[in-house]
Amino acid sequence: MITLGHYLVVSGMLFALGLAGVIARRNIIIVYMCLEMMLSAANLALVGFSRFHVVNGLPDYTAQSLVFFTITVAAAEVAVGLAIIVALFRSKQSVDVESVTKLQG
């Protein structure tokens, strides 16, 4: 039987893996994907808490509706973020984090 602890362990592992990727990697696209993994880990924790928080005999779906909202916002964030990464690549000819040390107009 899957318990809340299982959800939280998987969520914690995903978050730690994403955090390690953000800290260790130099490729902007990989860092961006790791940030999205951290967001997904937070969403998984929200779903777990929502699933096991029972109100009047039914799971509380409030947090799950919040997850749908965050997924929608994350989709928009991905579109804007990838556009920024493409613009940085066109100007610097590199996706290395070290090549983007200054913000210039």
Side-chain angles (χ1 to χ4, degrees), residues 56-69:
N56 295 331
L58 296 173
D60 185 14
Y61 294 111
T62 306
Q64 292 184 14
S65 61
L66 178 64
V67 167
F68 283 123
F69 179 73

Side-chain angles (χ1 to χ4, degrees), residues 15-27 30-31 34-35 38:
F15 192 86
L17 188 62
L19 183 63
V22 168
I23 292 172
R25 300 302 298 245
R26 301 249 183 233
N27 188 328
I30 300 294
V31 169
C34 289
L35 284 172
M38 292 169 64

Side-chain angles (χ1 to χ4, degrees), residues 8-80:
L8 295 180
V9 166
V10 171
S11 174
M13 289 179 3
L14 278 174
F15 192 86
L17 188 62
L19 183 63
V22 168
I23 292 172
R25 300 302 298 245
R26 301 249 183 233
N27 188 328
I28 292 175
I29 296 173
I30 300 294
V31 169
Y32 197 67
M33 288 173 32
C34 289
L35 284 172
E36 292 298 321
M37 185 185 305
M38 292 169 64
L39 181 63
S40 296
N43 284 338
L44 181 63
L46 274 175
V47 168
F49 283 123
S50 174
R51 170 68 178 90
F52 289 98
H53 183 253
V54 178
V55 177
N56 295 331
L58 296 173
D60 185 14
Y61 294 111
T62 306
Q64 292 184 14
S65 61
L66 178 64
V67 167
F68 283 123
F69 179 73
T70 58
I71 288 172
T72 305
V73 171
E77 171 206 337
V78 166
V80 172

Side-chain angles (χ1 to χ4, degrees), residues 59-102:
D60 185 14
Y61 294 111
T62 306
Q64 292 184 14
S65 61
L66 178 64
V67 167
F68 283 123
F69 179 73
T70 58
I71 288 172
T72 305
V73 171
E77 171 206 337
V78 166
V80 172
L82 285 177
I84 291 171
I85 290 172
V86 167
L88 283 173
F89 178 74
R90 286 183 180 170
S91 67
K92 303 288 183 181
Q93 296 298 318
S94 174
V95 289
D96 189 46
V97 175
E98 296 296 325
S99 67
V100 187
T101 56
K102 290 183 180 180

